[in-house]
Amino acid sequence: MEQDIEDIESQTKETLQHEEEETPDDILHNRKRPVTLKFDEVVYKIKDKKGGIFKKKTKVEEKTILKGVTGIVKPGEMLAMLGPSGSGKTTLLTALGGRLGGKLYGKITYNEKPFSNTIKRNTGFVTQDDVLYPHLTVTETLVFTALLRLPNTVTKDEKVSHAKNVIDQLGLTKCKDSIVGSAYLRGVSGGERKRVSIGQELLINPSLLFLDEPTSGLDSTTAQRIVSTLWDLARGGRTIVMTIHQPSSRLYYMFHKVLLLAEGNVVYFGKGSEAIEYFSNIGYSPAMAMNPSDFLLDLANGIYTDDMNQDHNIDKQKLISAFKSNSETQSKPEEHQEINDSDTSQGRFQETGSGKWPTSWSQQFFVLLRRDVKERKYESFSGLRIGQVLVVALMSGLLWYKSDMSHLQDQIGLLFFITGFWGFFPLFQAIFTFPQELMMLEKERSSGMYRLSSYFISRMVADLPMELVLPTIFLLITYFMAGLKATMINFFQTLFSLLLNVLVAQGLGLALGAVVLDQKSATTLASVIMLCFLLAGGFYVQNVPKFIAWVKYISISYYTYQLFIGSQYHSGETYPCSSGQCLIEEFPPIKQVGFNMNGQGLAAMALVIMLIGYRLIAYIALMRIGVTKKKA
């Protein structure tokens, strides 16, 4: 094993002499440029706000998460970072992966150079949670990722072939046509899902691979297979860094190096096989044969079991000081400086920069569009959702069955009900879009897969046919059962008004979801806003006080209701009244709204402005998320 690492080190020296861009041929033929990762005196601080609703002042304190962490990982090595929960493992991993903003100090280098777009393109990062689309198959998941992440100099057929090679490499052939699934949808097993996540990163043939808790929630046998796969990848020349909570002894002895953290401090760094000997030399030897990782975690928690099998609390500071004084690998940085925030975080939501996107905007758009349609069709056309629309359509048609001009108030009531129903329904469907996809968006954007604009536009286009089919079916059922004007012009005017209402309500939902990002809070806010819109819509109250009358001018319901009235009734028409026949424009609910051509045009224009405006708000909110994450 050591001879293999020495060979890889010699390759690294040659690579440093020829700093060239990795070519598509390198990716497809499994040739990689080795990377040596060094981190020296890494310190990370966050601002911790203390206070509450009943306190006048909120005290802001600076909390140090990482306290001078130092180490090195070479090509062909697999480093495991151990430590109790809250010890800073994931924070350190995120910092090393170039995905951590904020006050980060020290020095992190990749082949003696700072983080760059070239390093980002050669780095894979597997998060603890498997963020995958549940309805896509294993093959579809990896093929779509390959189409987005591999450069456009590689042909589509080569990308698909490469994805299939990764499936074979990770032993996913038997489940390649199975859907990935989720906690609520049966799919592949947990171990297979984790291998799919790893496979997404292997598609770019990374020189440096980071993994956060890759064995979390897996049984010992499955965990063994995952780590064995990673060990094989390391042996092939990759540099692998992972966090792991409590590995079995079989897993522990597969790690080339171990980094033990306690409250952000390094307690041990070196070969995994030498850890027990190190602690024995400083007075802490295991009292019995036990899993080395259990022993190390006990020490990191400040617990030591003596020969009498009794537990004693020990001062963790002594372990920290002992490591600092005994470590032969420790080196002082030339200067203790803050790592540039833009350097460490440029892998996150970067829209422009020196690095090129792997594919063009149009390629990203069409691939994302295909993926969105495949994934979203199951939700948009779910049996529950279709059943809900059909039941309401039939009930509406039956309750207003063959209503005519003699029941004008009833007809207007139906039009306003349609306005309200198709205001709430798409609104609450759209609210969950971005909160549910936030983790996926962060994961894919941080790896530089696509532009935010291509994602957003493809999302809007993919939703169009699926969001407009159900209201069209609803109107086809209700319209003719209720006895509304059965002419093509009147029907299509009503349909146009309905679809415009749906798209505007959907846009409002997207904006609220993107701005608030908390599903419960966004739902509550949406309910209040839509109820205010309905109350100001012109049906319930005709004589609105002037100081609150302005609400109708921002109400989706008001403009849609106005278009519905104009699609069914025209000036000069009459309806039966107590005095015989009365002009329809004098009917109080209609008189309040009006249906002249200028009013109709202004109503349609107002809805179009809202349609565009709400989506712009959603897009800007998503851009703001990226900036906030970088500065967090």
Side-chain angles (χ1 to χ4, degrees), residues 449-521:
M449 284 178 66
Y450 47 74
R451 299 167 176 82
L452 180 60
S453 56
S454 60
Y455 162 81
F456 190 83
I457 299 298
S458 67
R459 200 72 173 77
M460 298 303 100
V461 174
D463 283 345
L464 279 178
M466 292 184 280
E467 292 297 331
L468 300 182
V469 168
L470 289 181
T472 301
I473 294 173
F474 175 93
L475 194 65
L476 283 170
I477 296 172
T478 305
Y479 190 91
F480 297 103
M481 287 183 67
L484 297 175
K485 288 187 177 178
T487 65
M488 295 294 288
I489 293 177
N490 293 110
F491 173 77
F492 281 108
Q493 281 183 336
T494 308
L495 179 61
F496 169 79
S497 304
L498 175 60
L499 297 183
L500 189 55
N501 174 62
V502 168
L503 292 177
V504 175
Q506 182 198 34
L508 176 59
L510 292 172
L512 290 174
V515 170
V516 179
L517 284 178
D518 178 75
Q519 296 180 9
K520 186 176 181 180
S521 301

Side-chain angles (χ1 to χ4, degrees), residues 99 125-131 194 210-213 443:
R99 301 186 176 206
F125 198 105
V126 181
T127 58
Q128 180 176 351
D129 297 319
D130 298 317
V131 185
K194 178 61 67 178
F210 296 96
L211 304 102
D212 190 12
E213 301 277 2
K443 170 191 168 184

Side-chain angles (χ1 to χ4, degrees), residues 59-278:
K59 188 177 181 181
V60 179
E61 294 182 353
E62 201 168 56
K63 184 178 180 182
T64 304
I65 305 299
L66 298 175
K67 304 171 183 177
V69 183
T70 299
I72 180 173
V73 198
K74 298 178 181 179
E77 291 182 339
M78 183 162 58
L79 168 66
M81 296 192 288
L82 305 176
S85 298
S87 60
K89 302 188 301 294
T90 298
T91 302
L92 178 58
L93 188 81
T94 309
L96 297 179
R99 301 186 176 206
L100 189 65
K103 292 192 175 180
L104 184 63
Y105 302 89
K107 188 177 182 182
I108 304 174
T109 61
Y110 311 79
N111 287 345
E112 303 296 340
K113 294 187 176 182
F115 189 84
S116 64
N117 283 303
T118 302
I119 293 297
K120 183 184 75 172
R121 285 193 294 268
N122 285 277
T123 299
F125 198 105
V126 181
T127 58
Q128 180 176 351
D129 297 319
D130 298 317
V131 185
L132 303 165
Y133 284 111
H135 291 100
L136 298 182
T137 65
V138 170
T139 300
E140 288 172 341
T141 299
L142 292 176
V143 166
F144 281 129
T145 304
L147 293 174
L148 289 168
R149 295 194 72 175
L150 296 180
N152 54 17
T153 52
V154 181
T155 66
K156 180 180 177 181
D157 291 339
E158 287 176 329
K159 292 180 181 182
V160 173
S161 177
H162 184 55
K164 292 179 179 178
N165 290 337
V166 170
I167 290 174
D168 295 336
Q169 181 183 4
L170 294 175
L172 294 169
T173 307
K174 291 183 179 179
C175 62
K176 65 179 182 179
D177 295 323
S178 302
I179 62 170
V180 172
S182 64
Y184 308 102
L185 180 66
R186 185 177 180 83
V188 298
S189 66
E192 290 167 336
R193 192 175 296 120
K194 178 61 67 178
R195 278 182 278 167
V196 173
S197 296
I198 296 173
Q200 286 186 308
E201 303 305 315
L202 291 184
L203 286 168
I204 61 169
N205 190 26
S207 301
L208 186 57
L209 182 60
F210 296 96
L211 304 102
D212 190 12
E213 301 277 2
T215 62
S216 177
L218 304 179
D219 61 81
S220 59
T221 303
T222 305
Q224 170 77 16
R225 290 175 181 168
I226 295 290
V227 176
S228 295
T229 301
L230 296 174
W231 191 88
D232 289 336
L233 294 174
R235 189 175 61 175
R238 291 180 177 86
T239 305
I240 295 182
V241 182
M242 73 172 74
T243 64
I244 193 163
H245 184 61
Q246 200 162 6
S248 66
S249 56
R250 287 195 302 170
L251 298 186
Y252 178 85
Y253 285 112
M254 297 180 72
F255 303 139
H256 301 101
K257 288 182 178 177
V258 168
L259 176 67
L260 182 62
L261 291 172
E263 298 177 357
N265 294 283
V266 181
V267 178
Y268 174 78
F269 173 72
K271 293 182 179 180
S273 57
E274 298 176 358
I276 300 296
E277 180 183 354
Y278 164 78

